[in-house]
Amino acid sequence: MLKIENLQVEIDGQEIVKGLDLEVGKGEIHAIMGPNGSGKSTLANVLMGHPRYEVTGGSVTFQGEDVFELEPDERAKLGMFLAFQYPSEVPGVSVANFLRTAVNSVREEELSPMEMYRLIQEKMSIMQMDPKFAERYLNEGFSGGEKKRNEILQMLMLEPKLAIMDETDSGLDIDALQVVAKGVNELRGPEFSAVIITHYQRILRYIEPDHVHVMLDGRIVTSGGKELALELEDKGYEWVRQEFGAGTQS
Ligand SMILES: Nc1ncnc2c1ncn2[C@@H]1O[C@H](COP(=O)(O)OP(=O)(O)OP(=O)(O)O)[C@@H](O)[C@H]1O
Ligand SMILES: [Mg+2]
């Protein structure tokens, strides 16, 4: 599904991702954990084609296609989706309008207004969102948790093949966390893969990952099963730095 080999990424001439390898198979859920500033969001953003980042080495393929040869909208059309760590506010564009445009742009055939309306209602109800949100401007004045819920709503509408979720669980109350997990589990199946970037083991109780990776200083330094997330919570990143930090391992 997704294959990242020796990926190197720079921002303003500074190397942030320093030779990262990751393979995500069909239907697999991967979690990436790692300290602040280790390059997790950089990885997510570069996969979706954020113009700020410069890829200086390595390769990324999605279903065998060179991701960096594709424009961001082409990536979305192929089924890649990113839920942002900090979703942007878009005054003047309602949630419903945004969803209509986004969904129709990835579909072969446009949905009729009635079909679209029903789909939005259905997915909003899964996310336990008040239907009034459909008419509000995208993310404008949304609380942190409402923004995150809205990201998952977009994901449910778009039905991506690969979702990258950048700290979608941060700032959620316990109920919202379960709703977000429900949204993800709704899509879970052989045709859906996900990369969940998180700081907390908590969400992984609701969305069981097949693999857990630890990112440190621009690389994945160790990987394991879901027990690795528990071990991390227990031992902290100082343990990771000592075991896998620069100088201890090539
Ligand atoms: N636009 C930018 N300009 C300069 N430096 C940047 C920029 N974007 C990211 N960086 C730097 O790259 C490093 C990695 O940032 P990134 O956001 O990828 O980390 P992260 O692992 O997502 O951290 P967090 O857990 O805090 O979200 C940081 O040191 C950050 O300051
Ligand atoms: Mg981040």
Side-chain angles (χ1 to χ4, degrees), residues 1-229:
M1 186 63 35
L2 181 75
K3 189 168 186 181
I4 305 176
E5 281 179 308
N6 193 28
L7 180 66
Q8 291 152 47
V9 181
E10 285 185 4
I11 305 166
D12 301 336
Q14 197 191 331
E15 196 179 24
I16 308 289
V17 175
K18 305 174 181 175
L20 181 137
D21 297 290
L22 177 67
E23 242 178 276
V24 178
K26 233 177 152 184
E28 291 176 358
I29 307 271
H30 291 240
I32 298 182
M33 306 181 83
N36 295 135
S38 52
K40 303 180 301 296
S41 294
T42 301
L43 171 67
N45 289 329
V46 86
L47 289 178
M48 290 316 292
H50 193 296
R52 184 88 197 248
Y53 304 86
E54 195 193 343
V55 177
T56 52
S59 67
V60 178
T61 59
F62 175 65
Q63 295 184 304
E65 292 208 49
D66 182 348
V67 163
F68 300 133
E69 292 289 310
L70 302 165
E71 295 298 321
D73 66 308
E74 296 175 306
R75 300 179 200 193
K77 250 180 213 165
L78 281 177
M80 292 175 74
F81 174 85
L82 173 63
F84 290 98
Q85 182 171 8
Y86 302 109
S88 311
E89 301 195 0
V90 189
V93 176
S94 73
V95 168
N97 261 328
F98 177 81
L99 290 173
R100 264 180 221 125
T101 309
V103 169
N104 281 331
S105 74
V106 301
R107 287 179 66 98
E108 299 275 302
E109 267 178 58
E110 293 202 354
L111 288 177
S112 73
M114 191 41 105
E115 288 169 320
M116 185 67 77
Y117 175 81
R118 288 218 185 94
L119 193 64
I120 293 176
Q121 296 298 315
E122 180 202 324
K123 304 301 184 195
M124 284 186 107
S125 117
I126 294 173
M127 294 312 293
Q128 295 176 19
M129 288 171 78
D130 187 326
K132 283 191 204 122
F133 273 92
E135 299 316 318
R136 279 180 66 174
Y137 289 151
L138 187 62
N139 289 319
E140 194 185 43
F142 284 25
S143 77
E146 288 164 355
K147 284 183 185 172
K148 298 299 174 90
R149 239 180 244 232
N150 188 57
E151 292 288 293
I152 300 301
L153 173 66
Q154 286 172 32
M155 186 178 85
L156 288 180
M157 293 287 297
L158 292 169
E159 297 186 342
K161 296 198 179 91
L162 172 73
I164 300 154
M165 275 168 270
D166 193 1
E167 292 197 30
T168 305
D169 56 331
S170 292
L172 293 182
D173 67 38
I174 300 154
D175 291 353
L177 184 73
Q178 291 193 16
V179 172
V180 161
K182 186 173 145 207
V184 176
N185 287 325
E186 190 82 17
L187 289 177
R188 196 160 189 177
E191 298 302 322
F192 176 73
S193 311
V195 176
I196 299 175
I197 296 169
T198 182
H199 283 294
Y200 307 103
Q201 189 273 334
R202 206 175 50 153
I203 190 164
L204 304 178
R205 262 187 287 174
Y206 303 109
I207 310 169
E208 267 204 22
D210 300 296
H211 302 276
V212 174
H213 310 278
V214 181
M215 194 160 169
L216 181 70
D217 195 21
R219 288 185 197 93
I220 286 173
V221 292
T222 187
S223 303
K226 58 177 192 279
E227 68 288 344
L228 179 57

Side-chain angles (χ1 to χ4, degrees), residues 233-245:
E233 202 147 84
D234 192 33
K235 297 183 178 168
Y237 288 126
E238 206 37 54
W239 164 71
V240 175
R241 284 196 189 90
Q242 276 169 16
E243 290 280 310
F244 309 102

